[in-house]
Amino acid sequence: MTNTIVGLFLIALLCITVAQGRKTLHPNNDWPTSSVVINDGVCKTMVETQGYTCEEHEVITKDGYILSLQRIPTGRFGKKANKQPVLLQHGLTADAICWLFNSPNESLGFILADNGYDVWLANARGTKYSRGHESLSPNDMDYWNWSWEELASYDFPAFVQYVYNNTGQRIHYIGHSLGTLMGLAAFSQGQGLNMLRSAALLAPIAHMNQITSQVLKFAADAFLAEDQYWLGIHEFIPNGDVATKFLAGICHNLNLNCGNIIALITGPNCCVNSSALDIFLNHGPQPTATKNMIHLSQMIRTGHVAKYDYGLQNMIHYGQLFPPLYDMTTIPNEFPLFVSYGGKDSLSDINDVHVLLNDLKDHDEKKLVVLFKEDYGHLDFIMSVNVKQMIYDPLIDFFNNN
């Protein structure tokens, strides 16, 4: 009964916001939509300011999205990369800047470049620097007709193919959060494996029905993302009016202190660099498709790693009543994997990660490295002041061995 009341309350708030006009819900004037490389993009604002060489690249997916990709081909002191390419994929509501938040001595993008790796930073569709499309605008509802399924089947292979074509070398892949789901889904389908050397999964997301974030669990159980989609809101803006009102309603009705909303969602991060967090908040949590949020909600409710559930239309899309599953056990046992997760993470929950590791129980033990950090929350893997020593140094050792 409580869920029903809260759901109706939040829908009412949403209806009021919708009545204020579509432009309020989709303030795309604040976002670049051109396919032209942005002059004040990641290279200019985050990389070159630290003394590194940086290149801006564009990648076009098979379904027409124009994606931004940055390359750091040298270390801080101009030494050209002498090791393999590494492709870094950010998580939900983030973009490539997440690998550059901290100082050069603490940020994975810079650390890899200083260690001789050819660094490539991906920006998934819909984020600030990947708003282009061959025929659609972010103001078009069809532009947002995707979920992580498309990120895995279009964005991921497009990035991998582009880096491989430009370097002629097989690639190390690093994903954080949703970036790990993109990789795992692709690997289970055999995508890109012939162009990859290994993969590192930081705070991995796959099975999700045991997450401990009360806020996200409630939002999934109350079908709040579906309500947004039904009302015509196809772009989900994390710090927009609608999301803010939703969050306030959830916090009030669950009697939660939302003074530290990041901890409520990600878990209590032990060691996040406050300066890095300020950069993240000032840069702005990145938009995603509301359909993507629905897909993640489906995973939270069911525990299945499956394609998007269209309900009664599944027969039309898949020729079967239920969406096909992504089978993690099909990932080749000899493919090198580095998996690192935290004991305080509310999104990549310990129990869910253990289900994933059970899927990988037949993996070649010489090709699977598992690193557990008891005090780490979800953001510690990209923003912690001690993440280099705790995670990145072992990760680089793993790359050196593969």
Side-chain angles (χ1 to χ4, degrees), residues 8-196:
L8 292 173
F9 168 71
L10 293 174
I11 291 172
L13 286 176
L14 183 54
C15 290
I16 293 170
T17 309
V18 170
Q20 294 174 353
R22 179 184 173 93
K23 188 173 181 180
T24 304
L25 291 171
H26 298 274
N28 289 312
N29 292 335
D30 297 334
W31 298 93
T33 59
S34 171
S35 63
V36 177
V37 174
I38 300 167
N39 291 327
D40 63 346
V42 176
C43 280
K44 291 291 185 185
T45 60
M46 297 297 294
V47 182
E48 293 174 2
T49 55
Q50 298 293 339
Y52 292 80
T53 301
C54 188
E55 302 170 2
E56 293 277 1
H57 293 256
E58 284 185 350
V59 178
I60 301 179
T61 67
K62 288 185 177 180
D63 57 347
Y65 288 82
I66 302 170
L67 311 179
S68 164
L69 180 67
Q70 288 76 42
R71 183 186 194 183
I72 308 177
T74 65
R76 197 178 345 179
F77 303 108
K79 184 179 179 180
K80 190 174 181 180
N82 57 8
K83 296 181 181 178
Q84 302 83 21
V86 182
L87 174 64
L88 291 86
Q89 179 62 61
H90 60 80
L92 186 69
T93 74
D95 60 11
I97 284 178
C98 75
W99 305 109
L100 310 167
F101 279 144
N102 284 345
S103 70
N105 295 324
E106 297 173 328
S107 297
L108 185 54
F110 296 131
I111 291 170
L112 289 168
D114 288 338
N115 275 272
Y117 287 95
D118 184 4
V119 178
W120 296 78
L121 308 171
N123 297 268
R125 64 182 65 187
T127 56
K128 183 173 184 179
Y129 301 112
S130 290
R131 305 282 285 188
H133 191 279
E134 291 181 311
S135 61
L136 297 172
S137 160
N139 289 312
D140 299 324
M141 284 188 177
D142 284 345
Y143 177 93
W144 299 100
N145 185 24
W146 51 266
S147 75
W148 61 260
E149 184 179 330
E150 282 72 29
L151 299 182
S153 58
Y154 291 108
D155 290 25
F156 174 85
F159 283 131
V160 170
Q161 187 71 62
Y162 186 92
V163 174
Y164 181 78
N165 289 348
N166 277 270
T167 63
Q169 297 187 68
R170 291 167 64 208
I171 305 157
H172 296 293
Y173 177 78
I174 301 175
H176 174 250
S177 188
L178 192 67
T180 69
L181 179 58
M182 290 170 60
L184 287 166
F187 304 155
S188 72
Q189 302 287 304
Q191 289 200 72
L193 290 172
N194 62 321
M195 293 177 281
L196 295 173

Side-chain angles (χ1 to χ4, degrees), residues 118-286:
D118 184 4
V119 178
W120 296 78
L121 308 171
N123 297 268
R125 64 182 65 187
T127 56
K128 183 173 184 179
Y129 301 112
S130 290
R131 305 282 285 188
H133 191 279
E134 291 181 311
S135 61
L136 297 172
S137 160
N139 289 312
D140 299 324
M141 284 188 177
D142 284 345
Y143 177 93
W144 299 100
N145 185 24
W146 51 266
S147 75
W148 61 260
E149 184 179 330
E150 282 72 29
L151 299 182
S153 58
Y154 291 108
D155 290 25
F156 174 85
F159 283 131
V160 170
Q161 187 71 62
Y162 186 92
V163 174
Y164 181 78
N165 289 348
N166 277 270
T167 63
Q169 297 187 68
R170 291 167 64 208
I171 305 157
H172 296 293
Y173 177 78
I174 301 175
H176 174 250
S177 188
L178 192 67
T180 69
L181 179 58
M182 290 170 60
L184 287 166
F187 304 155
S188 72
Q189 302 287 304
Q191 289 200 72
L193 290 172
N194 62 321
M195 293 177 281
L196 295 173
R197 289 179 178 271
S198 71
L201 311 175
L202 308 180
I205 296 294
H207 307 279
M208 292 185 66
N209 70 322
Q210 300 182 78
I211 66 169
T212 55
S213 170
Q214 294 183 59
V215 171
L216 296 187
K217 190 77 172 175
F218 176 86
D221 290 342
F223 290 80
L224 296 188
E226 284 88 341
D227 292 338
Q228 287 196 58
Y229 199 81
W230 174 71
L231 288 165
I233 303 174
H234 290 216
E235 177 184 6
F236 179 81
I237 304 174
N239 58 347
D241 289 343
V242 175
T244 301
K245 289 177 180 178
F246 271 2
L247 185 59
I250 294 172
C251 290
H252 174 74
N253 285 278
L254 293 183
N255 196 28
L256 296 174
N257 179 3
C258 287
N260 188 352
I261 187 58
I262 291 178
L264 280 177
I265 294 174
T266 67
N269 301 284
C270 75
C271 316
V272 164
N273 184 321
S274 59
S275 297
L277 187 58
D278 288 342
I279 294 172
F280 169 69
L281 295 175
N282 288 334
H283 178 62
Q286 296 300 298

